[in-house]
Amino acid sequence: MSLLERLNEDMKQAMRNKEKEKLTVIRMIKASLQNEAIKLGEDLNEEQELTVLSREVKQRKDSLHEFEKAGREDLVEKIRTELQYVELYMPKQLSEEEVSKIVAETIAETGATSKADMGKVMAAIMPKVKGKADGSLVNKLVQQHLS
């Protein structure tokens, strides 16, 4: 079942169950996917769908951070709920240990020895962990391994 089909089924279920917040989030995800498809002029493949979902998660995490900083507890709860719904459609996230192992393997593959090689390592790692690990975690682990 494709992501769009899954979203449509979940949207129908959310309507039946009168889950307004979930319905709103599903509609936002669908709109983002459709906008991306229009922009590219083609149907999205799984990797492109994952890119859109990752963008949605990142936007919500950034908003969450800003609202927490501003002390807006009303909006913090709303964004946390939205984030939970969006993450339902993401692939299972890798643990920090799994990401660390991938980082070590990639550093060995690229022959990186110092922080000057960080860009090369990040460029090699990100396609491997796309949608399965947070970029900031990967960045932190690469820095630790290279120092």
Side-chain angles (χ1 to χ4, degrees):
M1 175 184 290
S2 78
L3 179 60
L4 219 45
E5 290 169 347
R6 189 171 157 209
L7 286 167
N8 284 329
E9 288 302 312
D10 289 352
M11 191 167 85
K12 289 175 192 171
Q13 193 61 45
M15 283 182 203
R16 283 186 210 113
N17 297 342
K18 296 183 179 11
E19 299 172 292
K20 282 186 175 182
E21 286 180 343
K22 186 173 186 177
L23 184 59
T24 301
V25 172
I26 292 170
R27 285 180 173 152
M28 281 192 274
I29 295 170
K30 276 187 65 178
S32 294
L33 289 167
Q34 290 168 336
N35 287 339
E36 189 74 13
I38 290 168
K39 188 171 97 179
L40 296 174
E42 60 187 54
D43 287 340
L44 299 179
N45 61 32
E46 202 171 312
E47 185 177 323
Q48 291 165 326
E49 290 175 344
L50 195 57
T51 301
V52 173
L53 280 175
S54 297
R55 190 180 319 135
E56 291 292 317
V57 167
K58 183 175 181 348
Q59 285 175 350
R60 282 169 177 77
K61 283 184 177 178
D62 291 345
S63 296
L64 185 63
H65 178 69
E66 291 300 316
F67 291 145
E68 284 173 340
K69 240 172 42 177
R72 295 290 311 267
E73 285 305 313
D74 55 327
L75 295 173
V76 167
E77 270 314 303
K78 180 180 182 291
I79 296 295
R80 275 199 182 117
T81 305
E82 285 184 13
L83 192 55
Q84 287 174 338
Y85 289 135
V86 175
E87 287 176 340
L88 291 174
Y89 301 100
M90 293 290 290
K92 182 183 172 291
Q93 297 294 296
L94 297 171
S95 70
E96 191 168 333
E97 295 80 35
E98 292 169 317
V99 175
S100 185
K101 184 179 172 189
I102 293 170
V103 166
E105 290 169 0
T106 307
I107 287 174
E109 287 169 15
T110 59
T113 55
S114 69
K115 286 194 178 189
D117 300 323
M118 187 150 171
K120 180 169 62 170
V121 175
M122 289 297 289
I125 289 177
M126 289 316 287
K128 295 178 184 179
V129 299
K130 185 172 194 158
K132 298 178 195 160
D134 185 44
S136 60
L137 172 66
V138 175
N139 189 319
K140 182 182 86 169
L141 291 172
V142 168
Q143 285 182 6
Q144 286 175 357
H145 281 272
L146 290 177
S147 56

